[in-house]
Amino acid sequence: PYTTPFWKRRLSPAIFENDHVIIVDKPALWLSTPGRDPKTDERPVLGLKLQEQLQRQIFPIHRLDLEVTGIIM
């Protein structure tokens, strides 16, 4: 159900970012954080993608369901 272009999609620019906080719009059908078995789960993960783009570790303070889009810190 997920295709390669979906995986490689770049996230929208941050809504707000400083040295301590980043706020972004989570796309629908993306996990907020890795699933129970990240080695076999092929769904895209917002937290991991942000870490890759920012090249630093992040610590999400909340999650949103897979199906919804919305603001996440």
Side-chain angles (χ1 to χ4, degrees), residues 31 33-41 43:
L31 293 170
T33 58
R36 293 182 186 196
D37 190 1
K39 292 180 182 176
T40 60
D41 194 345
R43 296 174 292 183

Side-chain angles (χ1 to χ4, degrees), residues 31-70:
L31 293 170
S32 298
T33 58
R36 293 182 186 196
D37 190 1
K39 292 180 182 176
T40 60
D41 194 345
E42 296 182 356
R43 296 174 292 183
V45 180
L46 176 68
L48 297 178
K49 186 69 169 179
L50 280 173
Q51 286 185 159
E52 176 187 309
Q53 288 181 5
L54 298 171
Q55 297 199 356
R56 63 182 172 191
Q57 189 170 12
I58 64 161
F59 302 94
I61 61 170
H62 67 96
R63 298 181 297 174
L64 295 173
D65 290 341
L66 174 74
E67 298 85 4
V68 300
T69 185

